[in-house]
Amino acid sequence: MLIKQAKNALAEQDWATAEDRAEEARMYAGLDLTRSAQDVQKQIDEKRAEAVAKEAKKLADEGKCASALKQVAVPVRAKTREHFKKEVKKRAQGPLVACLSQKLEEDVKTGSVEAARAMLASPDSTTALSSEGFKLAEAALQKAIVKQSTADIQPLLAQQKWAEAIAKLDELKQKETLGAAEYPVAFEIIQDAIRDHLLKLAASGLTAKSP
């Protein structure tokens, strides 16, 4: 009877009643009904996760990244089962990462690097995103910072002003525009430019006609 009531409530999206009936069955019924109750609880977790992720996606698609992150973070912080937390993070990951990545890039473009870093490190971001999702957003931020910083040194590279380009990167590092993770990536861009220049010189030397 309890399992049937739980399933009926689940079908009506009455999560609280479904949860109560399933928990009663799990606590007081025999082994078979306990397993059935656990199956119902798993279904409740998945349906709730689907509903939360759907609302988070709607907010993310509207560009409301902070609200989308909070939409997931709040129920995850609550005393919920691990299955729910895993499911909601998995279902919401795509929209959250896409929205957050775009927001972080916009902040970097306007010079608000610290604001971008603060948003990524915020409690809602670290709670709502899975480990994989956080790494994806972190990589997007790093890419945006390096892309923006190298825009300033590209003219110097085009003129083969290597020392000035390196000095510019060091300046960005001192200002903390480039973090410890971004600096090596940006420095590699300069190294690649120098290597390409030397290869071109070598190639032109080989093909030059003897006097």
Side-chain angles (χ1 to χ4, degrees), residues 28 133 162 184 207:
Y28 305 116
W162 317 124
T207 57

Side-chain angles (χ1 to χ4, degrees), residues 87-173:
E87 282 295 313
V88 72
K89 288 183 178 184
K90 180 179 71 175
R91 294 168 187 262
Q93 176 174 297
L96 289 183
V97 171
C99 184
L100 187 55
S101 296
Q102 183 176 350
K103 171 62 176 169
L104 296 176
E105 184 173 358
E106 290 172 357
D107 283 347
V108 171
K109 282 183 178 180
T110 59
S112 302
V113 176
E114 289 308 311
R117 286 186 175 135
M119 185 171 191
L120 180 61
S122 70
D124 283 347
S125 292
T126 55
T127 301
L129 295 172
S130 64
S131 177
E132 179 188 6
F134 187 86
K135 287 179 181 178
L136 290 171
E138 189 175 40
L141 174 58
Q142 180 178 325
K143 181 179 179 181
I145 292 174
V146 172
K147 181 180 179 181
Q148 188 67 18
S149 65
T150 54
D152 294 333
I153 66 169
Q154 286 300 330
L156 298 174
L157 297 181
Q159 299 171 55
Q160 291 90 52
K161 295 182 178 180
W162 317 124
E164 291 182 34
I166 293 172
K168 180 64 177 177
L169 283 191
D170 289 340
E171 177 187 333
L172 292 171
K173 184 179 180 181

Side-chain angles (χ1 to χ4, degrees), residues 10 38-48:
L10 178 61
Q38 290 173 337
D39 288 340
V40 172
Q41 287 179 327
K42 186 176 180 180
Q43 293 176 48
I44 293 171
D45 288 342
E46 291 170 357
K47 289 294 184 181
R48 286 185 62 225

